[in-house]
């Protein structure tokens, strides 16, 4: 790092984005080569099902999430769709989703032929329980709380509301693998949990996903749905449930091998991220002009993102620019730091109620008797929080010097020395 009259200038800045996806080691190579040496890239080849990398990955998550069933699939979106179908959610049903989440959350609802209902997030940038409860109608069948940017949702409140109204809870854990809430692993509290192993996640296999559930029916139906509508491979997953039309969401052995190796490093990576975030928060918590994002359970935060709010959106833009000038990468709603696809205002086909075709539209099908409405300004609190927010991505390879640079730069821009 070099210095100028204006302060530190970073010569090798860490990238703005998710935690590092460059952590491939000899273990990944070993597991991938094991697949090639076995000449078994399809998990259901042969009779030794338990020798499959996908089975081993499922077993690892059964233990990590403390759940009865795990189903490896080919993406986080597939996991959401399979879980929804597994829970008997489809035409005529409404599913509540937050206005700040990757578009796949809403897209999965539509792929299951149900209708997404969009609600507010609060200062946690996760689902506002009050907004969730207010959106419940006679047509509501499920809710998808999303643990955004590694931050656990307010699961006690959400679960209480859902149980009081008889709703299915499907946790979207795509961005929070390794997180917890009140000591419980994320993905273990709802009726189902859905994980992603896509490139920009803590655990990456390029693509991949996982459904976790304690519910036998959800598991069996999801298994049938993900396996071309039947169970051909001697796994006995179908149990006593009838076959249903389905898709091919199976995970390849190569992707499973990568995810299996990566998943064995979750705990030390998250521990390091928490150490980094705790140090930065400690160094800036006393700054009066900023408001730190509220974390429902700081001990369960995956901690790869530091978010704080300024008084106005203009203040946030100014602060962001000055922070970048100090060599600290950061993002706002205006410079795509919160990503276009993650904000409901950019979900054009949802706002326009546009299905796959005129004859395949969840909003106009005969089964749907509700009246879900959308507009660009339907979630003003969500837009307010996002508009005033600044995000700094944290990295497991950040050094003490990096941490100190962030603290000093934020304090300098805030005018607090």
């Amino acid at each position: 790092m070099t210095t100028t009259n204006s302060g530190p200038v970073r010569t090798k800045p860490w990238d703005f984005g998710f935690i590092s996806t460059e952590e491939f080691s000899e273990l990944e190579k070993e597991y991938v080569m094991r697949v090639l040496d076995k000449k078994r890239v399809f998990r259901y080849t042969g009779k030794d099902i338990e020798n499959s990398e996908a089975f081993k990955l499922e077993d690892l998550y059964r233990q990590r999430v403390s759940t009865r069933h795990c189903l490896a699939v080919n993406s986080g979106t597939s996991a959401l769709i399979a879980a929804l179908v597994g829970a008997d959610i489809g035409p005529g049903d409404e599913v509540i989703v937050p206005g700040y989440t990757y578009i796949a959350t809403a897209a999965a609802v539509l792929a299951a032929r149900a209708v997404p209902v969009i609600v507010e997030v609060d200062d946690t940038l996760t689902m506002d329980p009050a907004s969730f409860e207010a959106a419940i109608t006679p047509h509501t069948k499920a809710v998808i709380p999303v643990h955004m940017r590694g931050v656990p949702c307010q699961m006690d409140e959400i679960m209480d509301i859902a149980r009081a109204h008889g709703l299915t809870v499907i946790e979207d854990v795509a961005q929070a693998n390794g997180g917890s809430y009140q000591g419980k692993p994320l993905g273990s509290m709802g009726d189902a949990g859905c994980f992603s192993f896509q490139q920009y996640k803590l655990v990456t296999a390029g693509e991949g996903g996982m459904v976790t559930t304690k519910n036998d029916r959800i598991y069996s139906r999801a298994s049938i749905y993900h396996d071309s509508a039947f169970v051909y491979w001697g796994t006995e997953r179908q149990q006593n449930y009838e076959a249903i039309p389905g898709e091919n969401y199976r995970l390849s052995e190569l992707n499973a091998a990568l995810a299996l190796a990566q998943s064995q490093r979750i705990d030390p990576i998250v521990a390091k991220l928490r150490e980094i975030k705790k140090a930065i928060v400690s160094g800036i918590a006393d700054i009066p002009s900023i408001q730190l994002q509220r974390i429902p359970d700081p001990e369960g935060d995956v901690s790869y993102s530091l978010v704080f709010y300024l008084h106005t959106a203009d203040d946030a833009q100014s602060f962001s620019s000055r922070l970048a000038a100090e060599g600290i990468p950061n993002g706002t709603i205006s410079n795509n730091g919160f990503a276009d696809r993650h904000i409901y205002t950019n979900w054009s086909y949802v706002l326009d109620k546009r299905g796959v075709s005129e004859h395949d539209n969840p909003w106009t099908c005969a089964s749907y008797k509700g009246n879900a409405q959308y507009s660009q300004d339907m979630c003003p609190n969500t837009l307010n929080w996002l508009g005033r927010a600044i995000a700094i991505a944290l990295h497991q390879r950040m050094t003490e010097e990096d941490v100190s640079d962030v603290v000093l730069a934020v304090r300098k821009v805030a005018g607090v020395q």
Side-chain angles (χ1 to χ4, degrees):
M1 185 174 67
T2 60
T3 58
T4 69
N5 292 334
S6 62
V9 176
R10 190 166 290 281
T11 55
K12 291 184 179 180
W14 64 89
D15 293 332
F16 180 79
F18 291 100
I19 65 291
S20 172
T21 56
E22 301 170 0
E23 299 288 343
F24 293 112
S25 69
E26 291 302 314
L27 189 63
E28 279 84 355
K29 295 178 184 178
E30 176 189 339
Y31 284 14
V32 169
M33 289 307 300
R34 184 167 68 189
V35 171
L36 298 179
D37 288 342
K38 288 188 296 185
K39 297 181 174 60
R40 177 181 178 174
V41 293
F42 178 51
R43 72 171 294 181
Y44 296 118
T45 299
K47 297 181 179 180
D48 55 338
I49 299 299
E50 295 188 5
N51 195 34
S52 153
E53 304 300 318
F55 180 90
K56 294 173 184 175
L57 181 65
E58 291 169 344
D59 192 53
L60 184 150
Y61 276 83
R62 273 191 289 270
Q63 297 177 46
R64 284 196 60 85
V65 184
S66 300
T67 191
R68 183 180 301 121
H69 304 297
C70 285
L71 174 66
V73 292
N74 58 9
S75 74
T77 305
S78 299
L80 286 166
I81 298 169
L84 287 161
V85 172
D88 295 280
I89 291 162
D93 298 329
E94 291 179 348
V95 179
I96 295 175
V97 303
Y100 178 49
T101 178
Y102 188 58
I103 191 171
T105 309
V109 175
L110 292 171
R113 301 302 185 261
V115 170
V117 173
I118 302 170
V119 300
E120 299 269 24
V121 301
D122 55 23
D123 57 339
T124 67
L125 293 185
T126 67
M127 183 178 287
D128 177 2
S131 184
F132 157 41
E133 186 166 33
I136 295 171
T137 74
H139 313 288
T140 308
K141 190 165 182 180
V143 59
I144 305 180
V146 182
H147 306 294
M148 277 298 290
R149 302 177 77 95
V151 175
C153 293
Q154 298 158 89
M155 289 304 295
D156 283 344
E157 294 91 334
I158 289 171
M159 292 301 297
D160 286 347
I161 294 167
R163 294 300 180 240
H165 293 271
L167 304 180
T168 296
V169 179
I170 297 175
E171 294 177 67
D172 186 332
V173 200
Q175 295 190 14
N177 197 344
S180 63
Y181 177 78
Q182 304 299 335
K184 300 175 183 177
L186 300 183
S188 70
M189 290 162 280
D191 298 284
C194 298
F195 294 75
S196 172
F197 306 136
Q198 190 264 347
Q199 175 71 21
Y200 300 111
K201 303 300 188 291
L202 187 141
V203 167
T204 179
E207 291 285 4
M210 184 73 69
V211 180
T212 60
T213 183
K214 295 182 176 71
N215 186 294
D216 293 341
R217 179 174 174 81
I218 290 176
Y219 173 68
S220 294
R221 284 175 53 86
S223 295
I224 294 168
Y225 191 77
H226 106 293
D227 192 16
S228 301
F230 212 79
V231 178
Y232 301 106
W233 317 109
T235 61
E236 299 180 355
R237 295 182 185 213
Q238 187 175 345
Q239 296 182 3
N240 297 320
Y241 299 105
E242 294 181 343
I244 55 174
E247 307 282 350
N248 176 8
Y249 293 160
R250 297 186 299 261
L251 184 66
S252 83
E253 287 289 275
L254 288 168
N255 293 106
L258 280 173
L260 180 62
Q262 291 257 301
S263 294
Q264 294 178 37
R265 291 202 297 272
I266 292 175
D267 291 337
I269 289 175
V270 172
K272 179 62 175 178
L273 290 168
R274 287 172 178 163
E275 176 186 321
I276 290 167
K277 185 170 182 178
K278 184 177 181 180
I280 297 174
V281 167
S282 176
I284 66 174
D286 65 328
I287 300 175
S289 60
I290 68 173
Q291 174 186 348
L292 287 166
Q293 176 188 18
R294 179 166 61 90
I295 310 296
D297 180 7
E299 297 301 315
D301 184 6
V302 181
S303 299
Y304 64 78
S305 178
L306 174 74
V307 174
F308 56 85
Y309 307 102
L310 278 294
H311 184 64
T312 68
D314 288 343
D315 290 343
Q317 294 308 308
S318 174
F319 198 105
S320 173
S321 297
R322 288 180 288 151
L323 194 59
E326 294 296 322
I328 306 301
N330 69 94
T332 69
I333 194 174
S334 296
N335 65 15
N336 208 28
F338 288 90
D340 290 345
R341 293 185 180 188
H342 293 75
I343 304 171
Y344 79 90
T345 52
N346 300 306
W347 302 348
S348 59
Y349 58 80
V350 178
L351 300 188
D352 294 342
K353 298 184 178 180
R354 190 165 61 247
V356 174
S357 70
E358 181 180 346
H359 305 290
D360 186 2
N361 187 313
W363 293 278
T364 59
C365 75
S367 301
Y368 183 52
K369 307 300 181 184
N371 187 31
Q373 296 296 315
Y374 312 100
S375 68
Q376 289 283 327
D377 59 357
M378 65 182 292
C379 293
N381 293 336
T382 297
L383 298 180
N384 177 51
W385 287 115
L386 289 173
R388 297 193 289 116
I390 289 177
I392 299 175
L394 306 181
H395 195 290
Q396 67 264 35
R397 292 201 299 267
M398 287 175 68
T399 65
E400 290 184 7
E401 182 184 19
D402 294 328
V403 169
S404 177
D405 287 346
V406 173
V407 171
L408 292 175
V410 172
R411 296 187 73 85
K412 178 179 179 180
V413 173
V416 178
Q417 299 300 325

